[in-house]
Amino acid sequence: MTTTTAASADSGERAVPKDSPGAARGPRRPGRIRRIALPYLLLLPALILELLVHLVPMVIGIFMSFKELTQFYIRDWGTAPWSGFDNYKVSVDFSAPVGEALLHSFLVTVGFTLLSVGLCWLIGTAAAIYMQDTFRGRGLLRALFLVPYALPVYAAVITWVFMFQHDNGLVNHVLHDQLHLIDKPSFWLIGDNSFYALLTVSVWKGWPFAFLIVMAGLQNIPGELYEAAALDGAGLWQQLRRITLPSLRPVNQVLVLVLFLWTFNDFNTPFVLFGRTAPEAADLISVHIYQASFVTWNFGTGSAMSVLLLLFLLVVTGVYLLLTSRGRKTADV
Amino acid sequence: MRRIRAAAAGAVTVSLLTAVTACGGGSSTGGGSNDSPKTLTYWASNQGASIEVDKKVLQPELDKFEKQSGIKVKVEVVPWSDLLNRILTATTSGQGPDVLNIGNTWSASLQATGALLPWDASNFAKIGGKDRFVDSALGSTGAQGKDPAAVPLYSMAYALYYNKKMFADAGIATPPATWDELIADGKKLSKGGKWGLGAEGSNPSENIHHTFVFAKQHGADFFTADGKPDFTSDGTVAAVKQYIDLMAKDKIIAPGNAEYAQNQSVSDFAKGKNAMLLWQSASANLKSQGMSDNAYGIAPVPVQSGTPGTGTNVNSMVAGINLAVFKNSHNLDGATKFVKFMTSDAEQKILNTAYSSIPPVKTAQTDATFNTPANAVLKDTLAKSAAALPQVADESQFETAVGTAVKALFADAAAGRAVTTESVKAELEKAQQQMPAK
């Protein structure tokens, strides 16, 4: 990945390696090779495992996406007939039912991800900034904030399932019986509201991570900056806008990206919340692909959808990294 | 900065890679053998009130088998929600059990994978012949014209369970025999926080079982004679609508039942919240929830008019569990012996009594245990008015597609949205289009 040209394009002062291949020094060469090779040698086991654990199944997945893989062939899927790009064609033909459903699921996922990541970031950042000042009970509160992050996903989401239940759930009890905010008990696990139920659980589960990361990022901002700003007459809002947020930029860059990828690919939350078939309003793409592969036994099409999802995420991530790093470089100049 | 970017790149790569790894898999070929004649693994479906109950029921019988044959059986009770996936995984990897339970409606789908041992004449001869089994049970062991992929183990049928006291309190003397009567009775019973009937609106399989029966009663079917999906015929649409209308229009099912999928309607019935329940072999379950046998009555599932029978008076699917052998078992002879043991008269009596099901073995069925009034209804239904679900390779996909469509319609009904012939047809149309193209 890091070729010399890339390195030189990246940062000028390191562009020319001190000891270029031309400057080889005869007798000491074997030792040097060993020294240079050693880190790579140490990396090798991890690399091989990475290949086995991730790359090989991925290649198999791509291979499968070009096959007509149904129940007739799963026992020995090597014998499944080639289907060329048929699986892809079916997946992206948005005027036909399979493609239409995939597009719907994709759009639901995009909307859900934007809302979830936005809210997680907002709540996490607000909480972290609020927690910067020392006050009595801060440690306890911090620990409490991390509870959703520490709980096993399955146990936490199952608890939400109980709370969202129509007849005996806590959510309806509070919203309807106690606060009288809704006319009659709502359904949260079926129908249109399921989207909000999913969003609630996702934000509840995700924001402590944002909180944790932003809190760590805040530790690196020197206190003098705020003191100086205060002397210059900057209010809280200005301090936030001109010091805190710009200083958090690199942290936020990673945070938002990781939250985005996790949320977009989240399988556990919707699966535990809704089971094998999610309501249309909350049909996230991960469960949708699972359903296409494992519930309707159309593994070829499911694989094709996975590959498309991978391509989409690659493009989004690439563009995002490009944009955010370019923005930072111009800011640095 | 640089380190952060490297971390980001690392995180991205790992996340992206995992996106596609979900669809990896292995392949396996080859038949079975008798390499390990001393052990067997058995995946049992969850029949009792809990997995522990099942273990308690099965273990003594497995010990008995070990004493007779010298073969040790390792049993694992698999919950229903996992069973099909587990079988599918085992099929793909070739690392499955030797003997397993399958829901009989999946027979043709699993048969299509080629992973199960076909029960041809010679295999059947080893367990006493095909004639020992009841015809209706044999009807759901695989596609027509092919050797069965499994052997019937427990048979079940739907019946109408009704709360005697609630019926008496509402002044209803006899259980309803037609849907009109059921709705009229249901309306009398649906008051004061109690409801006429229970349902499992979010359970695709339950939805399929009921709408299948309604479709039969409308003279329609979900598949054409040559096995193509046909979900949108007038009869099928009317059938699905009639089922949903029990909640949407007739209002004898509590809207909350639209999100039930964990047998909550059985608990509701046991607690007296619902006066009626359409269920298969619920007795053992009700007993474990503290409802005594004489608190409820059992009647045949209603029909449109007349009495239950064949054709448009079908009032149940042929429900049940089959016993299958994985083709690549390392103990084929032992597996066959185990199937013989489990389908022997003696074991059939013990197991079917424990699970309040009916033996699919003719000679075991004549035992006095299965002649109680409750079992008489089930036996009668199985013999005269039950039909097997379509035995097509796409049955499993059909269960999901149509079951989910019905779930969505129940959600509409529960939210107070109108359920019309058009909306039912639209949902079924969508379900049909999701079926694999042929």
Side-chain angles (χ1 to χ4, degrees), chain B residues 40-46 51 54-55 58-59 62 73-79 82-83 86 95-97 99-101:
Chain B
L40 280 176
T41 14
Y42 173 41
W43 284 358
S45 54
N46 177 202
I51 286 174
D54 278 317
K55 283 187 188 149
L58 290 172
Q59 200 52 55
L62 301 180
V73 181
K74 278 183 281 180
V75 66
E76 184 184 349
V77 182
V78 185
D82 293 347
L83 190 57
R86 290 279 299 273
Q95 306 295 317
V99 186
L100 72 159
N101 281 170

Side-chain angles (χ1 to χ4, degrees), chain B residues 95-267:
Chain B
Q95 306 295 317
D98 302 288
V99 186
L100 72 159
N101 281 170
I102 63 175
N104 67 357
T105 61
W106 306 334
S107 298
S109 292
L110 292 171
Q111 182 179 43
T113 67
L116 303 181
L117 183 77
W119 287 85
D120 53 16
S122 79
N123 279 334
F124 258 121
K126 290 179 198 160
I127 60 166
K130 205 173 184 173
D131 300 337
R132 292 183 65 234
F133 297 91
V134 178
D135 279 344
S136 67
L138 282 174
S140 44
T141 51
Q144 260 187 350
K146 283 189 185 166
D147 288 326
V151 174
L153 182 64
Y154 316 126
S155 282
M156 286 170 249
Y158 276 90
L160 177 74
Y161 292 77
Y162 61 97
N163 185 314
K164 284 185 187 164
K165 184 172 182 303
M166 286 169 85
F167 265 52
D169 289 350
I172 306 165
T174 50
T178 65
W179 291 111
D180 287 342
E181 287 172 26
L182 182 135
I183 292 164
D185 290 346
K187 284 182 175 162
K188 282 184 209 160
L189 293 156
S190 300
K191 55 183 66 143
K194 312 216 160 163
W195 292 83
L197 185 66
E200 298 275 317
S202 283
N203 181 337
S205 301
E206 278 293 315
N207 288 339
I208 283 302
H209 299 164
H210 294 299
T211 49
F212 166 74
V213 165
F214 275 108
K216 284 279 178 200
Q217 294 188 0
H218 283 268
D221 218 329
F222 282 96
F223 284 85
T224 59
D226 55 350
K228 292 215 172 63
D230 182 21
F231 301 167
T232 53
S233 69
D234 291 347
T236 317
V237 173
V240 173
K241 185 164 186 298
Q242 191 184 2
Y243 183 44
I244 305 288
D245 270 347
L246 293 173
M247 177 189 284
K249 195 177 103 216
D250 310 317
K251 305 204 184 299
I252 60 169
I253 300 177
N257 289 22
E259 67 177 24
Y260 281 7
Q262 314 285 339
N263 302 351
Q264 292 100 318
S265 59
V266 183
S267 311

Side-chain angles (χ1 to χ4, degrees), chain A residues 14-145:
Chain A
R14 291 189 214 172
V16 184
K18 271 185 197 144
D19 34 22
S20 62
R25 275 147 286 180
R28 289 167 63 195
R29 207 173 165 175
R32 265 194 67 238
I33 289 181
R34 206 176 301 144
R35 210 169 50 241
I36 293 170
L38 186 68
Y40 294 100
L41 213 64
L42 293 176
L43 274 175
L44 207 61
L47 200 70
I48 291 174
L49 277 178
E50 170 74 22
L51 278 179
L52 283 179
V53 174
H54 282 130
L55 214 59
V56 170
M58 187 172 81
V59 169
I60 293 173
I62 294 173
F63 180 70
M64 283 166 120
S65 71
F66 292 101
K67 292 212 151 206
E68 188 193 313
L69 199 55
T70 57
Q71 68 256 44
F72 297 101
Y73 306 104
I74 54 159
R75 189 160 164 261
D76 186 10
W77 54 264
T79 60
W82 285 100
S83 61
F85 281 95
D86 279 2
N87 288 326
Y88 290 91
K89 275 187 209 144
V90 168
S91 304
V92 297
D93 182 0
F94 300 136
S95 56
V98 174
E100 196 189 332
L102 183 69
L103 181 68
H104 168 83
S105 160
F106 174 75
L107 294 176
V108 167
T109 314
V110 169
F112 165 76
T113 308
L114 290 178
L115 279 172
S116 173
V117 172
L119 287 170
C120 282
W121 180 82
L122 205 68
I123 298 173
T125 307
I129 290 175
Y130 181 68
M131 290 296 203
Q132 268 302 90
D133 301 324
T134 39
F135 56 86
R136 192 188 281 269
R138 183 172 76 147
L140 185 77
L141 215 54
R142 269 186 182 173
L144 210 63
F145 280 4

Side-chain angles (χ1 to χ4, degrees), chain A residues 10 71 76-77 166 277 290 295, chain B residues 2 26 29 85 259 393 407:
Chain A
D10 207 49
Q71 68 256 44
D76 186 10
W77 54 264
H166 178 266
T277 52
Y290 166 81
V295 180
Chain B
R2 180 166 288 269
T29 42
N85 261 5
E259 67 177 24
K407 174 179 166 180

